[in-house]
Amino acid sequence: MSSLQSASLARVKPSATIAVSARARELKREGRDVIGLGAGEPDFDTPDNVKQAAIDAIMRGETKYTDADGMPELKQAICRKFARENGLSYEPAQIHVAPGGKPVIFNALVATLSPGDEVIVPAPYWVSYPDMVLLAGGEPVVAVGEEKDGFKLRPETLDAAITPRTKWLILNSPSNPTGAAYSRAELEALAAVLRRHPQVWVLTDDMYEHLVYGDFEYTTIAQVAPDLMDRTLTVNGVSKAYAMTGWRIGYAGGPKPLIDLMRKVASQTTSNPTSISQWAAVEALDGPQDFIAERKAAFERRRDLVVSMLNQTSGISCATPEGAFYVYPSIAGLIGKTTESGVVIDGDSTFTTELLNAEGVAVVQGEAFGLSPYFRISYATSEAVLEEACGRIQRFCASLR
Ligand SMILES: Cc1ncc(COP(=O)(O)O)c(C=O)c1O
């Protein structure tokens, strides 16, 4: 009997982060006291002015189809955002809007990858990149950014990963899962490599751009290397910056020939993102931005709390990342130790399973992000909850023999 599952879907794993959240919910239903630090979503609410814009759009009757890749009013607001915040000059015809950042990336990959085409995915990577490449028919090529380099891709590692079949490099700064963000000088060094390989396009996922801390200055590659703009897709969205994960609006700016191909994909699959959410996104981008700084300050305090408590935990070391709301601590000091129930910690998957069983703290194993032995904590929750969770992690690690 032939398999129900398609050959291309058979190459794909379900999302590990969604699996951790599901397991945490299951334990909660069983009555366990579980703290979930697995989900990648701000705990803040969508701002009221944005909600009101959606309500107004409904009442005005803006409830019909729009252009498949976004309505002109939103594309214009996105052009203003790119000009104001990134110094990038795009026209509305160079903008793609889709139901979230995820479909924006997927549409770009489906639009451009032929069998055998390679996509360089720096590890630790966001869980979805390799699987989206596989689903789109391409081949992910993982290139590791080591902890000693702040989990960032070195130019020589990039150079060594490029082949004549390389179609894309995916950059993600600040990164999910490490929080690492590339400085201007680091992006310039990568751009110098890319100049020698004109067949390689760059997809930069800037979803966490507004969440950078201290005096770190955010830049994106098209800004640092304007000569690469004709092969760069700059992806962003309202999910993280405006606490709008459920509204499903992501967008990108790029060369018109690529944007035209992405529209062709959207026109035969999703059609337009929800008209109401598009009007909300116009208000998010054009409306007051001051709440972003307040939320950013809260995230920075949480980052500092978590990093400090983890570094006081036996066997764990945690670098201080530049941005996002994740940390990526190492458990190298715990490998080979044994839990009270007799399980040997042989890697990060065992560590995260045992931590959940013993202390009810849900985190995601580094294996899912392509670099072990680490785990990811999402600190998008209150300081009180983070303090409790880190206290439990300390107790668990101290109990290992
Ligand atoms: C790096 C990165 N890119 C893209 C996305 C997807 O964003 P959206 O919810 O808008 O699809 C996420 C969400 O977790 C992310 O972490």
Side-chain angles (χ1 to χ4, degrees), residues 361-377:
V361 178
V363 296
V364 187
Q365 67 279 13
E367 206 178 35
F369 308 106
L371 189 67
S372 291
Y374 297 89
F375 66 100
R376 186 192 79 174
I377 287 183

PDB file of all heavy atoms in Angstrom, residues 361-377:
ATOM      1  N   VAL A 361       9.713  22.006  35.002  1.00  0.00           N
ATOM      2  CA  VAL A 361      10.131  23.176  34.218  1.00  0.00           C
ATOM      3  C   VAL A 361      10.323  22.731  32.764  1.00  0.00           C
ATOM      4  O   VAL A 361      11.124  21.833  32.490  1.00  0.00           O
ATOM      5  CB  VAL A 361      11.447  23.788  34.758  1.00  0.00           C
ATOM      6  CG1 VAL A 361      11.878  24.969  33.884  1.00  0.00           C
ATOM      7  CG2 VAL A 361      11.266  24.244  36.198  1.00  0.00           C
ATOM      8  N   ALA A 362       9.553  23.344  31.857  1.00  0.00           N
ATOM      9  CA  ALA A 362       9.610  22.957  30.445  1.00  0.00           C
ATOM     10  C   ALA A 362      10.531  23.905  29.681  1.00  0.00           C
ATOM     11  O   ALA A 362      10.267  25.106  29.598  1.00  0.00           O
ATOM     12  CB  ALA A 362       8.212  22.973  29.836  1.00  0.00           C
ATOM     13  N   VAL A 363      11.640  23.364  29.160  1.00  0.00           N
ATOM     14  CA  VAL A 363      12.564  24.116  28.308  1.00  0.00           C
ATOM     15  C   VAL A 363      12.816  23.258  27.073  1.00  0.00           C
ATOM     16  O   VAL A 363      12.372  22.113  27.024  1.00  0.00           O
ATOM     17  CB  VAL A 363      13.895  24.405  29.042  1.00  0.00           C
ATOM     18  CG1 VAL A 363      13.668  25.314  30.255  1.00  0.00           C
ATOM     19  CG2 VAL A 363      14.592  23.116  29.474  1.00  0.00           C
ATOM     20  N   VAL A 364      13.513  23.774  26.068  1.00  0.00           N
ATOM     21  CA  VAL A 364      13.690  23.010  24.833  1.00  0.00           C
ATOM     22  C   VAL A 364      15.145  22.570  24.680  1.00  0.00           C
ATOM     23  O   VAL A 364      16.068  23.377  24.872  1.00  0.00           O
ATOM     24  CB  VAL A 364      13.241  23.828  23.595  1.00  0.00           C
ATOM     25  CG1 VAL A 364      13.272  22.956  22.343  1.00  0.00           C
ATOM     26  CG2 VAL A 364      11.837  24.389  23.801  1.00  0.00           C
ATOM     27  N   GLN A 365      15.343  21.315  24.328  1.00  0.00           N
ATOM     28  CA  GLN A 365      16.678  20.746  24.171  1.00  0.00           C
ATOM     29  C   GLN A 365      17.420  21.361  22.983  1.00  0.00           C
ATOM     30  O   GLN A 365      16.825  21.607  21.932  1.00  0.00           O
ATOM     31  CB  GLN A 365      16.583  19.213  23.995  1.00  0.00           C
ATOM     32  CG  GLN A 365      15.925  18.715  22.719  1.00  0.00           C
ATOM     33  CD  GLN A 365      14.393  18.731  22.755  1.00  0.00           C
ATOM     34  OE1 GLN A 365      13.765  19.330  23.624  1.00  0.00           O
ATOM     35  NE2 GLN A 365      13.797  18.076  21.770  1.00  0.00           N
ATOM     36  N   GLY A 366      18.722  21.583  23.154  1.00  0.00           N
ATOM     37  CA  GLY A 366      19.549  22.182  22.105  1.00  0.00           C
ATOM     38  C   GLY A 366      19.580  21.367  20.820  1.00  0.00           C
ATOM     39  O   GLY A 366      19.735  21.916  19.728  1.00  0.00           O
ATOM     40  N   GLU A 367      19.402  20.047  20.950  1.00  0.00           N
ATOM     41  CA  GLU A 367      19.375  19.172  19.772  1.00  0.00           C
ATOM     42  C   GLU A 367      18.405  19.693  18.706  1.00  0.00           C
ATOM     43  O   GLU A 367      18.676  19.618  17.516  1.00  0.00           O
ATOM     44  CB  GLU A 367      18.911  17.796  20.252  1.00  0.00           C
ATOM     45  CG  GLU A 367      19.376  16.654  19.415  1.00  0.00           C
ATOM     46  CD  GLU A 367      18.910  15.320  20.011  1.00  0.00           C
ATOM     47  OE1 GLU A 367      17.800  15.245  20.593  1.00  0.00           O
ATOM     48  OE2 GLU A 367      19.679  14.363  19.888  1.00  0.00           O
ATOM     49  N   ALA A 368      17.276  20.250  19.151  1.00  0.00           N
ATOM     50  CA  ALA A 368      16.263  20.746  18.213  1.00  0.00           C
ATOM     51  C   ALA A 368      16.765  21.941  17.410  1.00  0.00           C
ATOM     52  O   ALA A 368      16.232  22.239  16.342  1.00  0.00           O
ATOM     53  CB  ALA A 368      15.001  21.151  18.980  1.00  0.00           C
ATOM     54  N   PHE A 369      17.785  22.630  17.917  1.00  0.00           N
ATOM     55  CA  PHE A 369      18.285  23.843  17.257  1.00  0.00           C
ATOM     56  C   PHE A 369      19.631  23.608  16.589  1.00  0.00           C
ATOM     57  O   PHE A 369      20.285  24.550  16.136  1.00  0.00           O
ATOM     58  CB  PHE A 369      18.421  24.978  18.286  1.00  0.00           C
ATOM     59  CG  PHE A 369      17.182  25.216  19.107  1.00  0.00           C
ATOM     60  CD1 PHE A 369      17.110  24.816  20.432  1.00  0.00           C
ATOM     61  CD2 PHE A 369      16.073  25.844  18.545  1.00  0.00           C
ATOM     62  CE1 PHE A 369      15.972  25.033  21.195  1.00  0.00           C
ATOM     63  CE2 PHE A 369      14.926  26.067  19.301  1.00  0.00           C
ATOM     64  CZ  PHE A 369      14.879  25.655  20.625  1.00  0.00           C
ATOM     65  N   GLY A 370      20.072  22.334  16.580  1.00  0.00           N
ATOM     66  CA  GLY A 370      21.284  21.984  15.835  1.00  0.00           C
ATOM     67  C   GLY A 370      22.589  22.200  16.570  1.00  0.00           C
ATOM     68  O   GLY A 370      23.648  22.145  15.938  1.00  0.00           O
ATOM     69  N   LEU A 371      22.567  22.455  17.892  1.00  0.00           N
ATOM     70  CA  LEU A 371      23.840  22.543  18.620  1.00  0.00           C
ATOM     71  C   LEU A 371      23.643  22.081  20.058  1.00  0.00           C
ATOM     72  O   LEU A 371      22.856  22.644  20.803  1.00  0.00           O
ATOM     73  CB  LEU A 371      24.429  23.962  18.589  1.00  0.00           C
ATOM     74  CG  LEU A 371      25.864  24.058  19.142  1.00  0.00           C
ATOM     75  CD1 LEU A 371      26.867  23.324  18.248  1.00  0.00           C
ATOM     76  CD2 LEU A 371      26.302  25.510  19.316  1.00  0.00           C
ATOM     77  N   SER A 372      24.396  21.024  20.426  1.00  0.00           N
ATOM     78  CA  SER A 372      24.343  20.431  21.769  1.00  0.00           C
ATOM     79  C   SER A 372      25.703  20.634  22.438  1.00  0.00           C
ATOM     80  O   SER A 372      26.691  20.898  21.755  1.00  0.00           O
ATOM     81  CB  SER A 372      24.057  18.927  21.641  1.00  0.00           C
ATOM     82  OG  SER A 372      22.746  18.730  21.170  1.00  0.00           O
ATOM     83  N   PRO A 373      25.829  20.489  23.770  1.00  0.00           N
ATOM     84  CA  PRO A 373      24.773  20.243  24.738  1.00  0.00           C
ATOM     85  C   PRO A 373      24.324  21.559  25.377  1.00  0.00           C
ATOM     86  O   PRO A 373      24.972  22.098  26.247  1.00  0.00           O
ATOM     87  CB  PRO A 373      25.492  19.366  25.788  1.00  0.00           C
ATOM     88  CG  PRO A 373      26.909  19.896  25.807  1.00  0.00           C
ATOM     89  CD  PRO A 373      27.157  20.521  24.442  1.00  0.00           C
ATOM     90  N   TYR A 374      23.184  22.038  24.918  1.00  0.00           N
ATOM     91  CA  TYR A 374      22.623  23.306  25.397  1.00  0.00           C
ATOM     92  C   TYR A 374      21.119  23.127  25.560  1.00  0.00           C
ATOM     93  O   TYR A 374      20.557  22.111  25.133  1.00  0.00           O
ATOM     94  CB  TYR A 374      22.870  24.428  24.380  1.00  0.00           C
ATOM     95  CG  TYR A 374      24.329  24.733  24.140  1.00  0.00           C
ATOM     96  CD1 TYR A 374      25.045  24.051  23.162  1.00  0.00           C
ATOM     97  CD2 TYR A 374      24.997  25.706  24.883  1.00  0.00           C
ATOM     98  CE1 TYR A 374      26.397  24.310  22.941  1.00  0.00           C
ATOM     99  CE2 TYR A 374      26.333  25.980  24.657  1.00  0.00           C
ATOM    100  CZ  TYR A 374      27.034  25.288  23.687  1.00  0.00           C
ATOM    101  OH  TYR A 374      28.364  25.556  23.482  1.00  0.00           O
ATOM    102  N   PHE A 375      20.469  24.120  26.145  1.00  0.00           N
ATOM    103  CA  PHE A 375      19.011  24.141  26.089  1.00  0.00           C
ATOM    104  C   PHE A 375      18.567  25.588  25.948  1.00  0.00           C
ATOM    105  O   PHE A 375      19.358  26.512  26.172  1.00  0.00           O
ATOM    106  CB  PHE A 375      18.377  23.456  27.315  1.00  0.00           C
ATOM    107  CG  PHE A 375      18.604  24.124  28.644  1.00  0.00           C
ATOM    108  CD1 PHE A 375      17.626  24.915  29.215  1.00  0.00           C
ATOM    109  CD2 PHE A 375      19.795  23.949  29.341  1.00  0.00           C
ATOM    110  CE1 PHE A 375      17.829  25.516  30.458  1.00  0.00           C
ATOM    111  CE2 PHE A 375      20.006  24.547  30.583  1.00  0.00           C
ATOM    112  CZ  PHE A 375      19.013  25.338  31.143  1.00  0.00           C
ATOM    113  N   ARG A 376      17.330  25.784  25.513  1.00  0.00           N
ATOM    114  CA  ARG A 376      16.829  27.145  25.320  1.00  0.00           C
ATOM    115  C   ARG A 376      15.786  27.479  26.373  1.00  0.00           C
ATOM    116  O   ARG A 376      14.872  26.698  26.615  1.00  0.00           O
ATOM    117  CB  ARG A 376      16.181  27.295  23.940  1.00  0.00           C
ATOM    118  CG  ARG A 376      15.776  28.748  23.650  1.00  0.00           C
ATOM    119  CD  ARG A 376      14.884  28.869  22.432  1.00  0.00           C
ATOM    120  NE  ARG A 376      13.499  28.510  22.737  1.00  0.00           N
ATOM    121  CZ  ARG A 376      12.481  28.629  21.894  1.00  0.00           C
ATOM    122  NH1 ARG A 376      12.698  29.088  20.655  1.00  0.00           N
ATOM    123  NH2 ARG A 376      11.256  28.280  22.241  1.00  0.00           N
ATOM    124  N   ILE A 377      15.953  28.659  26.962  1.00  0.00           N
ATOM    125  CA  ILE A 377      14.924  29.206  27.843  1.00  0.00           C
ATOM    126  C   ILE A 377      14.323  30.420  27.147  1.00  0.00           C
ATOM    127  O   ILE A 377      15.053  31.286  26.672  1.00  0.00           O
ATOM    128  CB  ILE A 377      15.536  29.645  29.195  1.00  0.00           C
ATOM    129  CG1 ILE A 377      15.889  28.424  30.032  1.00  0.00           C
ATOM    130  CG2 ILE A 377      14.593  30.578  29.948  1.00  0.00           C
ATOM    131  CD1 ILE A 377      16.432  28.760  31.416  1.00  0.00           C
TER     132      ILE A 377
END
